[in-house]
Amino acid sequence: MRLSVYLPHSSRSFIAAFIGKSLTLFAAKKCFVAKRNIAMCFPELSKSEQKILLKKTLYSIGMMPFETALSWWAPDKSLAKIVDYDGLEHLQSAVKKGRGVILLTGHFTSMELGGRLMMLQHPMHVMFNNMKTHF
C-alpha cells in the first residue's frame, strides 16, 4: 500500500472500481444490506438512482485502502494539492480567540485522510473508534 501513493489517481480509481464491483461477489450479504438501507433512506430516488448510489458507495469502499495509504505516507506537498477547505475560517477564528475546538465527523471511508488534511492547516490530534463489522 505504501507504493500506491505513487500511482496516478486514475490508476487508484480504476482499482477501487474493481474492488467495489468485487464486493458484490465476495460480500453479497453486506451489499444486499447496503442496497436495502439505501432504498429505505432514499425512497424518493428511482431504482436506477439507488443503484448508482450503491455503486458509488462500493467504489468509496474500494478507494478506502488508497486513502488510508495517502494519509499515512503521502508527502504534505502532494496532499495540499488535492484538497479544498470549506469553513476553515471558523476553526481559525476559534483558535485565534484561544478556544478549544472539537471537530466531529461520521465514520466515512475518507475519515483518516480528512484528519491528515486538517493537520496540514492546524496541529491537532485525530481519534476514531473501529467499526464492529467490516466489509
Side-chain angles (χ1 to χ4, degrees):
M1 289 313 299
R2 180 176 238 153
L3 296 176
S4 73
V5 303
Y6 301 105
L7 290 173
H9 177 71
S10 60
S11 296
R12 290 191 301 262
S13 184
F14 177 81
I15 297 168
F18 176 77
I19 292 170
K21 287 178 187 175
S22 298
L23 290 173
T24 60
L25 298 173
F26 300 110
K29 187 175 178 182
K30 298 276 188 183
C31 289
F32 174 77
V33 170
K35 181 179 177 181
R36 188 180 65 213
N37 287 346
I38 287 171
M40 289 171 51
C41 293
F42 302 101
E44 72 280 3
L45 297 179
S46 69
K47 295 291 181 193
S48 63
E49 290 171 321
Q50 290 176 7
K51 188 175 181 179
I52 290 168
L53 183 55
L54 177 62
K55 184 178 178 180
K56 288 179 178 181
T57 300
L58 296 175
Y59 169 82
S60 181
I61 292 168
M63 186 59 86
M64 182 174 51
F66 299 110
E67 291 176 341
T68 300
L70 287 169
S71 72
W72 291 350
W73 297 301
D76 288 350
K77 187 175 180 179
S78 64
L79 287 178
K81 293 177 186 177
I82 65 168
V83 65
D84 289 316
Y85 298 94
D86 184 24
L88 190 60
E89 68 276 6
H90 302 293
L91 171 65
Q92 293 166 338
S93 173
V95 169
K96 241 183 208 178
K97 294 175 185 173
R99 299 179 64 190
V101 177
I102 295 176
L103 302 174
L104 181 65
T105 184
H107 202 294
F108 304 114
T109 59
S110 59
M111 177 184 67
E112 204 161 329
L113 182 57
R116 170 82 190 281
L117 293 170
M118 287 302 295
M119 286 189 288
L120 294 176
Q121 293 298 313
H122 184 76
M124 61 179 64
H125 297 282
V126 177
M127 300 180 298
F128 67 97
N129 188 13
N130 287 332
M131 293 176 58
K132 291 181 178 42
T133 58
H134 299 280
F135 255 88

